[in-house]
């Protein structure tokens, strides 16, 4: 295929550089063939990628219902005098009570706040949650609950490393600061502030409370927008070092067969693990979006420049020496798997074309193919599918190269 780590494994497994000749012949079409296939596939299937991207984005956002607000009057006599802790509103309905009006005074409720006949509450939640709250407490009302001069609503950013991976239940902002989190916005999606929800770097929380309490919460969370664009190169460098070391691990299954992740496989596997961990002590295993984009583009440019110059200078000589047979075999190895992937993925398993483009380019371990897919749409769906498939494809590629070399 077009995997340089795969070629290195082939040379190591056979103790011969002969594989590089076929690699040099197959490589140009291996790159260009994937790019052309990715570019032509939507046209062949007559699919509008922008329309498909909007549909999928709406579908995925739909998995997280938007949060609404509603005001309700307490008319259910069965709950008169009961505290919010006794009612356990959040667990029963999924909604959050952010304000309560009792005897004409608007307050921020806590777990010990009691509900009385005629009180008015403001709740935040999905439409289904608000319907359940209405059934629980009474009737919906149009009467508003304005904040008094000492109460505020603010959006706070999580930029303090100490707050990352902490759950809302563990922080207990209501008891510690007298504040209520009404929603958490992450990657453009509103999440219900469940006590088990762990905070991530860059989350935006809508907090209601007394002004002093909200300010204290803001200081704890960090709430510094500049840190979202800061880049700490230590985690990047450490991740690369750990990936290189992991790639050198040699796993022996028998005297005749052993497996090593290699440079690329080791870095990919370590990056996936560290990303899932998110944070180790004071070290954040993440980078800003701008830094991520810069490194991706720079890496792609260097990659294309290196392989283009190294393969192009010997292309004519290798063609004259080995003929068109290896080129034809390489072309078949490039085209046939992608055609099978489309037939099985799109027509049998009904995979979306955007997911399929990322899956194909990841399965072919083709970074230029992903760049071609990304250039056709503003959605990051192909990149997500690519990142999911690429490590698996790379690991299996390395395993099968060593297995083929051993068996043959």
């Amino acid at each position: 295929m077009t995997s340089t780590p795969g070629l290195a494994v082939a040379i190591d497994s056979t103790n011969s550089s002969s594989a590089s000749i076929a690699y040099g012949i197959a490589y140009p079409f291996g790159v260009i063939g994937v790019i052309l296939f990715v570019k032509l596939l939507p046209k062949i299937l007559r699919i509008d990628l922008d329309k498909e991207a909007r549909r999928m984005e709406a579908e995925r956002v739909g998995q997280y219902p938007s949060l609404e607000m509603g005001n309700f009057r307490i008319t259910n006599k069965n709950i008169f005098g009961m505290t919010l802790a006794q009612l356990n509103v959040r667990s029963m309905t999924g909604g959050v009570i952010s304000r309560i009006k009792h005897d004409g005074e608007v307050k921020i409720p806590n777990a010990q706040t009691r509900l009385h006949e005629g009180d008015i509450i403001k709740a935040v939640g999905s439409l289904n949650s608000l319907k359940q709250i209405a059934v629980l407490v009474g009737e919906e009302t149009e009467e508003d609950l304005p904040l008094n001069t000492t109460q505020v609503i603010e959006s706070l950013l999580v930029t303090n490393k100490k707050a990352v991976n902490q759950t809302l239940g563990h922080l207990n902002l209501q008891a510690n600061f007298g504040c209520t989190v009404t929603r958490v916005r992450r990657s453009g999606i509103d999440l219900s502030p469940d006590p088990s929800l762990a905070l991530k770097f860059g989350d935006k929380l809508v907090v209601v409370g007394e002004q002093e309490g909200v300010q204290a919460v803001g200081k704890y969370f960090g709430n510094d927008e500049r840190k979202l664009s800061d880049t700490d190169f230590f985690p990047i460098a450490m991740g690369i070092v750990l990936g290189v070391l992991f790639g050198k691990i040699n796993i022996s299954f028998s005297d005749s067969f052993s497996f090593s992740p290699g440079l690329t496989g080791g870095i990919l596997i370590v990056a996936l693990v560290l990303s899932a961990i998110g944070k180790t002590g004071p070290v954040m295993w993440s980078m800003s979006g701008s830094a991520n984009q810069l490194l991706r583009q720079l890496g792609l440019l260097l990659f294309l420049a290196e392989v283009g110059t190294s393969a192009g200078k010997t292309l004519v000589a290798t063609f004259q020496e080995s003929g068109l047979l290896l080129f034809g075999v390489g072309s078949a190895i490039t085209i046939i798997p992608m055609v099978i992937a489309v037939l099985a993925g799109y027509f049998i398993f009904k995979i979306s074309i955007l997911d399929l483009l990322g899956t194909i380019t990841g399965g072919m371990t083709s970074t230029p193919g992903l760049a071609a897919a990304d250039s056709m749409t503003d959605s990051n769906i192909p990149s997500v599918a690519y990142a999911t498939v690429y490590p698996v494809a790379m690991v299996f590629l390395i395993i099968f190269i060593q297995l083929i070399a051993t068996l043959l």
Side-chain angles (χ1 to χ4, degrees):
M1 298 170 65
T2 59
S3 172
T4 304
L7 173 62
V9 172
I11 294 174
D12 291 339
S13 301
T14 59
N15 295 318
S16 171
S17 60
S18 298
S20 60
I21 298 175
Y23 180 85
I25 294 174
Y27 190 94
F29 186 83
V31 174
I32 297 172
V34 176
I35 293 175
L36 291 176
F37 190 89
V38 167
K39 288 285 190 180
L40 293 175
L41 183 60
K43 297 180 180 179
I44 294 173
L45 298 177
R46 297 181 180 179
I47 297 176
D48 186 335
L49 289 183
D50 291 333
K51 183 177 180 181
E52 180 69 8
R54 290 192 295 270
R55 183 191 69 80
M56 289 194 65
E57 294 290 352
E59 181 179 292
R60 295 187 179 189
V61 171
Q63 297 175 1
Y64 301 90
S66 60
L67 301 182
E68 309 289 342
M69 292 186 294
N71 299 332
F72 303 90
R73 189 183 302 276
I74 308 300
T75 58
N76 182 2
K77 61 182 180 181
N78 295 319
I79 66 171
F80 291 167
M82 296 183 66
T83 65
L84 294 180
Q86 292 173 325
L87 286 175
N88 203 5
V89 175
R90 190 192 300 269
S91 298
M92 292 183 63
T93 67
V96 178
I97 296 179
S98 62
R99 276 171 268 173
I100 182 170
K101 184 177 182 180
H102 175 68
D103 290 338
E105 183 180 359
V106 177
K107 297 181 179 180
I108 307 298
N110 55 47
Q112 303 307 316
T113 299
R114 295 185 180 276
L115 300 180
H116 302 87
E117 182 179 6
D119 286 353
I120 299 176
I121 61 172
K122 178 177 283 291
V124 179
S126 65
L127 291 177
N128 184 55
S129 297
L130 296 181
K131 289 179 181 178
Q132 294 184 46
I133 290 177
V135 173
L136 177 66
V137 304
E139 61 186 22
E140 189 169 4
T141 177
E142 296 296 328
E143 185 174 346
D144 195 17
L145 277 73
L147 294 170
N148 61 37
T149 55
T150 63
Q151 297 168 344
V152 294
I153 301 178
E154 288 194 16
S155 295
L156 304 176
L157 283 171
V158 178
T159 57
N160 182 7
K161 296 179 180 179
K162 294 181 180 180
V164 175
N165 287 348
Q166 298 286 341
T167 64
L168 290 176
H170 176 75
L171 294 176
N172 198 1
L173 300 182
Q174 180 58 250
N176 293 325
F177 300 96
C179 300
T180 300
V181 178
T182 60
R183 69 182 72 196
V184 178
R185 189 164 183 82
R186 177 182 299 167
S187 300
I189 296 175
D190 287 331
L191 303 177
S192 180
D194 189 89
S196 62
L197 181 66
L199 298 178
K200 300 298 181 183
F201 187 82
D203 282 354
K204 180 177 288 187
L205 282 67
V206 178
V207 180
V208 182
E210 298 293 333
Q211 188 169 7
E212 292 183 358
V214 173
Q215 289 176 350
V217 173
K219 291 180 180 179
Y220 177 75
F221 284 153
N223 196 32
D224 188 351
E225 191 171 353
R226 293 173 299 178
K227 289 187 177 181
L228 293 180
S229 58
D230 288 346
T231 301
D232 186 356
F233 284 97
F234 174 77
I236 301 174
M238 180 59 68
I240 293 174
V241 170
L242 293 175
V244 171
L245 295 176
F246 182 79
K248 292 183 176 296
I249 294 176
N250 193 41
I251 305 172
S252 297
F253 294 94
S254 66
D255 293 338
S256 58
F257 179 67
S258 61
F259 164 71
S260 177
L263 179 64
T264 303
I267 292 178
L268 277 170
I269 293 171
V270 168
L272 288 170
V273 173
L274 294 179
S275 178
I277 295 173
K279 173 188 172 187
T280 304
V283 180
M284 295 287 299
W285 302 112
S286 62
M287 69 175 71
S288 65
S290 55
N292 190 317
Q293 186 68 18
L294 174 62
L295 290 177
R296 286 173 58 186
Q297 295 298 327
L298 179 61
L300 179 58
L301 289 173
L302 294 176
F303 173 79
L304 292 176
E306 192 278 330
V307 298
T309 53
S310 61
K313 64 183 180 181
T314 59
L315 183 61
V316 175
T318 50
F319 259 100
Q320 292 174 345
E321 181 179 345
S322 302
L324 296 176
L325 176 60
L326 294 181
F327 180 83
V329 172
S331 300
I333 293 174
T334 301
I335 295 297
I336 293 175
M338 294 191 293
V339 172
I340 294 175
V342 172
L343 294 177
Y346 186 76
F347 293 102
I348 297 178
F349 295 103
K350 307 300 182 183
I351 298 176
S352 163
I353 185 64
L354 294 174
D355 281 324
L356 192 58
L357 290 176
T359 301
I360 289 174
T361 55
M364 299 299 290
T365 65
S366 175
T367 305
L370 174 64
D374 283 341
S375 68
M376 297 188 294
T377 175
D378 293 332
S379 174
N380 68 340
I381 294 175
S383 298
V384 173
Y386 176 91
T388 304
V389 174
Y390 187 100
V392 179
M394 180 62 69
V395 170
F396 273 96
L397 177 64
I398 294 172
I399 291 175
F400 273 95
I401 288 174
Q402 298 184 47
L403 183 62
I404 291 171
T406 302
L407 295 178
L408 301 181

